[in-house]
Amino acid sequence: MLFFSYFGSHVNDMGPENDTRISEFLLLGFSEEPELQPFLFGLFLSMYLVIVFGNLFIMLAISSDSHLHTPMYFFLANWSFVDICFTSTTIHKMLMNIQTQSKVITYESCIMQMYFFILFVGLNNFLLTVMAYDPFVAICHPLHYMVTMNPWLCGLLVLVSWIMSVLHSLLQTLMVLWLSFHTVLEIPPLFL
């Protein structure tokens, strides 16, 4: 079943034009069988909870132990936070769809979910790059490590990662807004 709303057509100087606007998409699930839904819900909920609590534990351990207040663990704590956000971007909608048996997502929610998905995937990649810079400095310039990897530079690297991710995600989302969706309104289960 395809979901869309029709806002009519109007006549302008160029002739009649179709102003069909999409308001909802249909999310295709992993399985249509009702007896598998509780299993899928339990499986994804348990994976989600392991990811969230594992990353929260990492962040708590880093913040509570003063020996771990080094650049490497600063980047790891930021990466754990981004991992929680990245996972929460998609899994919560999938769990809600499995529980409520509703398979629709509004156009605005889809765009917003796509924005945050791209934001946190990009931020994940940028933070991994920054995390690779830390051992590079430690191995190639061991005597200058503490001077080079000072707290100001670490904060700047994370801030630049955030800014680049936000701009990249905004660019990608704005490009998608220019697309028209008239025939394919079903989204496969890869990005629920």
Side-chain angles (χ1 to χ4, degrees):
M1 182 179 220
L2 302 177
F3 295 94
F4 62 92
S5 56
Y6 180 75
F7 291 112
S9 62
H10 68 282
V11 178
N12 59 14
D13 296 338
M14 307 274 257
E17 183 179 301
N18 189 359
D19 284 341
T20 303
R21 304 266 309 168
I22 303 302
S23 67
E24 293 178 331
F25 289 102
L26 178 64
L27 298 172
L28 300 177
F30 287 102
S31 174
E32 297 294 324
E33 298 178 29
E35 61 271 1
L36 282 180
Q37 299 302 316
F39 171 73
L40 289 174
F41 182 79
L43 177 70
F44 287 115
L45 180 62
S46 62
M47 286 191 304
Y48 177 67
L49 292 175
V50 166
I51 290 169
V52 169
F53 287 122
N55 284 309
L56 284 175
F57 179 71
I58 290 171
M59 291 168 50
L60 179 66
I62 291 171
S63 65
S64 64
D65 189 358
S66 63
H67 293 96
L68 300 179
H69 293 174
T70 63
M72 179 178 66
Y73 289 108
F74 173 72
F75 296 137
L76 183 62
N78 280 284
W79 190 53
S80 293
F81 173 73
V82 169
D83 194 34
I84 291 171
C85 295
F86 167 69
T87 306
S88 299
T89 300
T90 54
I91 297 294
H92 80 280
K93 181 67 177 168
M94 181 172 34
L95 291 173
M96 189 171 59
N97 287 350
I98 291 173
Q99 191 66 20
T100 63
Q101 297 297 315
S102 171
K103 294 186 177 194
V104 295
I105 185 170
T106 64
Y107 179 73
E108 293 81 13
S109 296
C110 185
I111 293 296
M112 192 167 43
Q113 183 173 345
M114 185 189 72
Y115 171 79
F116 285 111
F117 181 80
I118 294 171
L119 170 75
F120 292 122
V121 166
L123 188 55
N124 189 19
N125 293 335
F126 286 126
L127 284 177
L128 285 173
T129 303
V130 168
M131 289 172 73
Y133 179 68
D134 179 57
F136 167 77
V137 172
I139 293 169
C140 294
H141 306 287
L143 299 177
H144 299 289
Y145 177 77
M146 293 308 292
V147 175
T148 305
M149 295 303 291
N150 58 46
W152 183 84
L153 179 66
C154 293
L156 181 65
L157 289 172
V158 170
L159 179 65
V160 168
S161 297
W162 271 96
I163 291 171
M164 290 177 64
S165 298
V166 166
L167 292 176
H168 176 258
S169 182
L170 186 62
L171 174 68
Q172 296 295 323
T173 305
L174 289 175
M175 288 183 356
V176 168
L177 286 174
W178 292 340
L179 298 176
S180 60
F181 302 97
H182 297 288
T183 57
V184 180
L185 301 178
E186 296 178 345
I187 300 175
L190 184 60
F191 297 111
L192 287 176

